[in-house]
Amino acid sequence: DAKTTQPNSMESNEEEPVHLPCNHSTISGTDYIHWYRQLPSQGPEYVIHGLTSNVNNRMASLAIAEDRKSSTLILHRATLRDAAVYYCILRDPTINAGGTSYGKLTFGQGTILTVHP
Amino acid sequence: EPEVTQTPSHQVTQMGQEVILRCVPISNHLYFYWYRQILGQKVEFLVSFYNNEISEKSEIFDDQFSVERPDGSNFTLKIRSTKLEDSAMYFCASKTPRSYGYTFGSGTRLTVV
């Protein structure tokens, strides 16, 4: 599996934007970039994913570099509930007959985000 | 919003005993997974399960581990003879064929004493 590199920790103030970087210089053309987060004492939670274009959903935005060797998860206004470990994952491109992937997720250490009131 | 449900939330067992961790995946999901997280460490993949058979397993998933979908709704992880090093949070996850995201449960904390 291609490797990702994230800062160990980041801090933010409440209601400010947060940009969480991820480097993935060995990404292959078929790898999707996934972001998950893990709140304290919870299981991982899907946040967003993308392939080449920038993506937005109700939780966050994902900005993907043109060469796809890096990406940034953007939380537009951090809240205290956003304090979590954020994981950038390149999804194992195991494809089934339906064309979607069901391969395992390989988690790294992630970035611990602390949000200050 | 549909959830993956895991029971119990915390289980304490003696070394050498068998444990069964239970999960109820989301009803229309077809792919099922177990992961574990030792305290302070990364989330690690154990096994994936589809169409009533194991799709992939990690080197952690040795002969002491087994999975089963006994009744079409539950998905279980059995550890035959627990060791101290099996103490961890165990997370169940599930996925539909057409979605990109995986849905995780809140986990079962297994403590082996």
Side-chain angles (χ1 to χ4, degrees):
Chain A
D1 291 342
K3 188 174 161 51
T4 63
T5 305
Q6 300 178 252
N8 290 333
S9 62
M10 292 186 65
E11 298 187 17
S12 173
N13 294 318
E14 205 174 5
E15 298 192 7
E16 289 184 356
V18 182
H19 290 233
L20 296 163
C22 180
N23 288 318
H24 29 78
S25 57
T26 59
I27 190 170
S28 75
T30 56
D31 282 340
Y32 280 77
I33 302 159
H34 278 223
W35 283 82
Y36 282 74
R37 71 180 185 180
Q38 188 175 19
L39 303 170
S41 303
Q42 296 291 315
E45 175 187 26
Y46 167 80
V47 177
I48 200 166
H49 77 278
L51 184 61
T52 56
S53 304
N54 295 343
V55 186
N56 300 298
N57 67 18
R58 63 178 177 82
M59 291 180 73
S61 296
L62 176 59
I64 301 172
E66 199 168 328
D67 63 5
R68 299 209 328 125
K69 294 187 176 181
S70 65
S71 61
T72 302
L73 180 72
I74 302 165
L75 307 180
H76 294 285
R77 291 180 70 216
T79 69
L80 296 178
R81 290 183 302 174
D82 291 322
V85 182
Y86 286 79
Y87 301 100
C88 170
I89 299 170
L90 301 183
R91 213 242 335 257
D92 183 300
T94 307
I95 303 293
N96 72 351
T100 61
S101 171
Y102 59 85
K104 66 181 185 289
L105 295 172
T106 301
F107 289 84
Q109 296 287 0
T111 296
I112 301 171
L113 176 65
T114 302
V115 180
H116 299 289
Chain B
E1 193 165 322
E3 290 183 342
V4 173
T5 305
Q6 290 187 245
T7 55
S9 56
H10 189 190
Q11 179 147 5
V12 181
T13 189
Q14 293 211 323
M15 192 168 53
Q17 295 295 305
E18 175 184 286
V19 293
I20 298 176
L21 308 183
R22 301 180 192 279
C23 169
V24 179
I26 295 172
S27 61
N28 64 337
H29 286 194
L30 298 181
Y31 304 115
F32 313 111
Y33 309 83
W34 284 100
Y35 290 78
R36 79 170 187 192
Q37 186 174 32
I38 295 170
L39 187 63
Q41 297 189 23
K42 296 187 292 187
V43 178
E44 299 174 290
F45 167 77
L46 292 178
V47 66
S48 59
F49 190 86
Y50 169 67
N51 203 24
N52 283 320
E53 61 183 24
I54 291 173
S55 309
E56 185 180 1
K57 58 184 180 179
S58 71
E59 58 188 26
I60 302 169
F61 194 89
D62 61 21
D63 292 343
Q64 292 299 310
F65 290 87
S66 62
V67 289
E68 196 177 32
R69 189 154 160 79
D71 56 13
S73 61
N74 291 285
F75 180 50
T76 61
L77 174 69
K78 182 193 294 185
I79 309 175
R80 252 179 279 284
S81 176
T82 49
K83 308 183 188 72
L84 295 176
E85 54 265 37
D86 293 326
S87 296
M89 282 290 287
Y90 287 81
F91 295 108
C92 174
S94 67
K95 183 184 180 300
T96 71
R98 300 199 179 280
S99 70
Y100 288 90
Y102 298 65
T103 305
F104 285 78
S106 295
T108 293
R109 178 171 299 284
L110 177 66
T111 303
V112 182
V113 297

